[in-house]
Amino acid sequence: MSRASGYDRHITIFSPEGRLHQVEYAFKAVRTAGVTSIGVRGKDCVVFVTQKKVGDKLIDPSSVTRIFKITKYIGLLATGLIADAKSIVQNARQQAAEFRFKYGYEIPVDFLAKVLADKAQVYTQHAYMRPLGVVSMLIAIDEERGPQLYKVDPAGFYMGYKATSVGVKETEATNFLEKKFKANPQFTYEEAVQTAISALQNVLSEEFKSSEIEVGVVRREAEGAFKVLSAEEVEHFLTLISERD
């Protein structure tokens, strides 16, 4: 009824049911990207993993990524429309650079998540803007709070997580992670990476090659520096998981 009345054509108008249809469509756009992403927080590390899909055989696989380094210490995983993601990444890098220039130290990851969420929320208020079809995961090790995992959605909502998922199989992945975290475990680095990859394999019911997934990590041992694992390192963890199972 509300769609027939044209409520889904305007981003700034609530439907009689109290819904903003265009914002809901932005969440659907995230799922239409066809990938699932998972983030897991450990005792002294944070990990996120996502599928790597190359849409054309002529595309150079090394140019396809959803994982971006924002600063030396903060990584971002963008699930959804990749063109929209590039805009978010550029804005995040600019905000981080300006913060460091102004205050003389690295931007805290929770503050960066807040800045990105505030901007996303503004995009839901103006008729000449549209929400970006991306859900972002941010990871870093905070000096005071330790390992941090944040998720920012197109509505401008952000929250810290022990573990989270985004994408096509989000519900199934969340159920899997809830069981793993029922006893509130303190995962080591190796356990956190294996949990994230095995969760992705479990919900998609497939075995991955190292070229089919991307893994980003921050570790206290590496002085909190963000790193994307190489194909050899990913293969090492895939082997450990297959041997364990």
Side-chain angles (χ1 to χ4, degrees):
M1 181 69 182
S2 61
R3 292 188 185 184
S5 305
Y7 288 102
D8 65 333
R9 295 184 185 178
H10 300 281
I11 195 168
T12 56
I13 298 175
F14 284 100
S15 73
E17 296 86 24
R19 295 162 64 183
L20 288 170
H21 288 290
Q22 287 295 327
V23 176
E24 292 178 17
Y25 295 163
F27 281 90
K28 286 185 179 179
V30 173
R31 290 191 287 274
T32 58
V35 302
T36 303
S37 305
I38 289 172
V40 173
R41 193 177 77 187
K43 181 173 67 174
D44 56 2
C45 64
V46 198
V47 176
F48 52 37
V49 58
T50 188
Q51 294 170 268
K52 182 170 183 172
K53 290 190 174 182
V54 182
D56 193 315
K57 291 181 180 178
L58 297 177
I59 293 175
D60 178 3
S62 66
S63 67
V64 178
T65 184
R66 294 181 176 276
I67 294 179
F68 304 91
K69 181 186 283 189
I70 304 303
T71 70
K72 181 182 176 182
Y73 305 101
I74 298 176
L76 185 147
L77 167 55
T79 308
L81 306 180
I82 199 67
D84 285 5
K86 296 286 179 73
S87 173
I88 291 173
V89 169
Q90 185 177 5
N91 180 46
R93 286 172 175 165
Q94 183 178 346
Q95 294 290 344
E98 288 178 0
F99 186 97
R100 182 169 171 76
F101 178 78
K102 187 175 181 179
Y103 298 106
Y105 64 97
E106 294 290 341
I107 188 170
V109 67
D110 60 320
F111 182 75
L112 181 58
K114 178 184 181 300
V115 169
L116 295 181
D118 286 349
K119 186 158 189 177
Q121 201 280 328
V122 169
Y123 278 29
T124 70
Q125 297 179 29
H126 299 284
Y128 56 86
M129 294 177 173
R130 71 164 174 83
L132 299 176
V134 176
V135 173
S136 307
M137 280 189 210
L138 293 158
I139 61 171
I141 293 182
D142 189 89
E143 289 182 6
E144 297 176 0
R145 301 180 182 180
Q148 298 289 298
L149 167 64
Y150 281 88
K151 186 165 75 173
V152 184
D153 68 29
F157 177 79
Y158 80 102
M159 191 64 68
Y161 291 86
K162 297 176 184 175
T164 188
S165 60
V166 187
V168 182
K169 296 285 186 178
E170 180 176 349
T171 306
E172 294 90 334
T174 300
N175 292 337
F176 181 92
L177 292 168
E178 282 177 354
K179 291 174 185 174
K180 288 284 185 182
F181 276 80
K182 199 169 186 180
N184 199 26
Q186 297 295 307
F187 287 133
T188 63
Y189 166 65
E190 298 244 331
E191 289 169 343
V193 176
Q194 289 183 53
T195 300
I197 295 174
S198 60
L200 195 60
Q201 289 189 152
N202 186 279
V203 298
L204 295 170
S205 303
E206 61 178 289
E207 299 289 324
F208 290 118
K209 299 175 185 173
S210 59
S211 60
E212 294 173 337
I213 58 173
E214 292 183 284
V215 183
V217 302
V218 285
R219 302 172 63 189
R220 201 185 293 277
E221 285 180 16
E223 298 180 352
F226 173 72
K227 178 187 177 184
V228 178
L229 297 189
S230 65
E232 291 76 20
E233 289 171 308
V234 173
E235 187 62 48
H236 165 71
F237 284 107
L238 290 171
T239 304
L240 288 177
I241 292 167
S242 62
E243 290 174 353
R244 185 189 66 187
D245 297 341

